[in-house]
Amino acid sequence: MNAKRFLRPAIWFIMFVLVAVMLNNFLSNGDSPEHVDTARAIHEVEDGNVSSALIIGGDVQRIELTLNDGEEIWAYYVEGQDLELESELRQQARDGTLAEGYDVDIPQSNPWMAVLGTVLPLLLLVALIIFFISRMQGAGGRMMQFGKNKAKLASKDAPKTTFADVAGANEAIEELHEIKEFLQEPAKFQAVGAKIPKGVLLYGPPGTGKTLLARAVAGEAGVPFYSISGSDFVEMFVGVGASRVRDLFKEAKENAPAIVFVDEIDAVGRHRGAGMGGGHDEREQTLNQLLVEMDGFDVKTNVILIAATNRPDILDPALLRPGRFDRQITVAAPDLDGRRKILEVHARGKPLAPDVDLMTVARRTPGFSGADLANVLNEAALLSARNDAKVITPKFMDEAIDRVIAGPQKSSRLMKDEEKRITAYHEGGHALVAAALHHTDPVHKVTILPRGGALGYTMVLPDEDKYSTTRNEMLDQLAYMMGGRAAEELVFHDPTTGAANDIDKATTLARRMVTQYGMTERLGAIKFGSDSSEPFLGKEMGHQRDYSEEVAGQVDEEVRKLIETAHQEAFDILVENRDILDSLVVALLERETLNKEEVAELFLEVRKLGRRPAWTGSATRKPSELGPVDVPVKISSNGSEADHSEETATVGADQPSLGGSGSADETSGS
């Protein structure tokens, strides 16, 4: 590499010198005297038309004459044959007829310069020809390499990633541990007739550690690890991707046992024939070749394909069938204990203050992925360095969480006192309604400091992870979302645009309750609308309405009813607790931010909303007629109640939240 860097500028310098010499010769030849025969030269001398003369010696001498009119000519002069020419010149020089005199000195020309002037142009021409030929050969070589794979082979000298560097994904690690054992001891499995999965698909939300898990498998097994992105296979020329797939698996088989990791496999493994314009020839040929290569594996090949994607729903079914990706591992967002372990991994090498409790940070970050948690610690370290602090304190950690959730604080945004007062009542309305309901999560923070795109926000987070949501909890969420709008109407009688995002989230949740979760008595437990969207179609184009106009009107009525009921509940709570709302606003205007303990102290005397009537649903008899039901509850190994329902209304990522499972309002600046 260093030789190439040295030779390339040297070659260009030599070519530049050659071009300069050629140009100099060309220009000098353009100004040279006119070549005439010896007879004319003698005639000009005899007529006295020569003002000066110069003889250049050599085997074949040359005489240069400058005429009286300034013209310059030259002719060959052979000594001993044209003595009269030399005699005449000498005579005129003695008589003073030559104006400039006659130079009797005979300078000898440099033979090397003559040779150089003749040979250099030829050398330059040959060098240019060789240069262009080599460039064409290089281009041809690159064309021949066009179908080669672009996979990167992990260096054995590079720091290895092991399972100890991965936290919060215990189930995935357990599944992949078997892959490691097979690569290290394949005979152990072959002895009992076991076949290791040919392909392992890691799927889950972005940032949960899919690529990290694949590197950990390679680091643990100590085998060659080829990594490539799905987009590296696809080119504008049909057939190139298939060629790269063949070359990749050929190289992996030659170095078996090995791991081939394809990140973002959905770029090449999408459903074939999908889209309004049909399929994509290059992508489909690449996918076909990938399917063939995976079928070509045998038990003794010892090459395992690991792929990662966050869109398993758009992958081709042939790719997911047993025999190809027989093992599909979900890499989900970590739970509370997983978040604590991830924080411990990323806290290595960072000076934490003694009062920083990573478990507290884990409780404040429900729904965060591993990448989010790493970002929290990195932001806290940056804030510490920015403030010239030697350690990361809880203050910096708290600010880092807020930055990741809602964005950086807008310290340059100045609000008028009246606008700040409106924001305080808006956020106070959210917090007070959340405190007065029976199925909402605790309020962790209320602030009127602008952050991100909001003028203020209320953070409501659960004390523990939740994986399903009841109907009453969703109704409480609707009332909580409408709390800001209800406070504006109650106090100012003039609502603002700050509730735009609240209304959007509430409408979305209410429509899902009606059309997906079956939580209205009028329409019952029926799903309305089907999602048969194709990968290349827009979301709206993929949704089909499989119900009549009459049912559509009923759906709209039920959605409106849910929103209006929630709005009224929020309004009633604020009217009942108006004195507490005013006290909360005064505290917000003074301190701008209230934490969980400060909010809880203000809400000690909150008068809660009455319990809602029992849910009857679509049952033919009321619950009171059915009598008590003893629901068996399984107790998990850690003493907590396990889920006893096979089908529950899961909200997950669709739940209106700030930072995952916890809900928060960040809409005051909408």
Side-chain angles (χ1 to χ4, degrees), residues 19-33:
V19 171
V21 172
M22 288 188 64
L23 289 176
N24 181 60
N25 290 339
F26 175 77
L27 294 176
S28 62
N29 290 335
D31 297 337
S32 62

Side-chain angles (χ1 to χ4, degrees), residues 370-385:
D372 293 329
L373 296 171
N375 194 21
V376 167
L377 284 172
N378 185 59
E379 287 288 346
L382 291 174
L383 289 170
S384 302

Side-chain angles (χ1 to χ4, degrees), residues 247-472:
D247 184 69
L248 172 62
F249 285 101
K250 177 182 177 182
E251 184 176 350
K253 291 175 184 178
E254 291 174 353
N255 295 277
I259 292 177
V260 176
F261 174 62
V262 182
D263 198 7
E264 304 296 344
I265 194 174
D266 51 277
V268 68
R270 291 191 174 194
H271 199 298
R272 289 171 289 183
M276 298 182 64
H280 186 287
D281 288 340
E282 166 62 358
R283 183 184 293 115
E284 292 187 4
Q285 286 200 18
T286 306
L287 175 58
N288 291 337
Q289 186 62 43
L290 181 62
L291 298 176
V292 170
E293 292 293 340
M294 294 188 72
D295 275 342
F297 288 171
D298 54 40
V299 180
K300 299 181 180 180
T301 301
N302 291 357
V303 176
I304 296 177
L305 176 63
I306 300 178
T309 181
N310 53 17
R311 294 293 309 276
D313 55 307
I314 67 173
L315 294 180
D316 193 271
L319 196 63
L320 302 178
R321 73 160 176 82
R324 291 189 176 122
F325 281 115
D326 349 48
R327 181 163 299 183
Q328 301 173 22
I329 302 175
T330 304
V331 186
D335 56 11
L336 177 62
D337 187 62
R339 292 195 298 275
R340 179 184 59 81
K341 293 179 179 178
I342 292 175
L343 289 169
E344 291 176 352
V345 170
H346 292 290
R348 297 171 185 170
K350 293 182 174 63
L352 300 180
D355 53 345
V356 172
D357 185 9
L358 294 181
M359 177 57 77
T360 302
V361 178
R363 291 185 183 278
R364 288 200 54 197
T365 53
F368 275 39
S369 66
D372 293 329
L373 296 171
N375 194 21
V376 167
L377 284 172
N378 185 59
E379 287 288 346
L382 291 174
L383 289 170
S384 302
R386 193 178 305 164
N387 290 272
D388 298 325
K390 301 299 182 182
V391 294
I392 301 175
T393 63
K395 175 185 176 182
F396 296 136
M397 194 71 72
D398 184 72
E399 174 64 18
I401 295 174
D402 290 343
R403 289 174 69 91
V404 173
I405 291 177
Q409 182 176 323
K410 299 294 184 65
S411 57
S412 60
R413 181 181 295 177
L414 300 178
M415 290 193 300
K416 298 179 181 179
D417 293 339
E418 181 63 19
E419 192 171 12
K420 185 178 293 187
R421 185 165 170 263
I422 294 174
T423 303
Y425 271 103
H426 183 101
E427 301 304 333
H430 283 302
L432 183 55
V433 171
L437 294 170
H438 298 278
H439 304 92
T440 52
D441 299 317
V443 179
H444 276 248
K445 177 180 288 189
V446 184
T447 180
I448 58 174
L449 292 175
R451 186 181 293 275
L455 296 178
Y457 67 91
T458 300
M459 184 181 295
V460 177
L461 298 175
D463 290 329
E464 56 186 12
D465 293 332
K466 299 172 62 177
Y467 302 100
S468 64
T469 308
T470 65
R471 179 176 181 271
N472 275 322

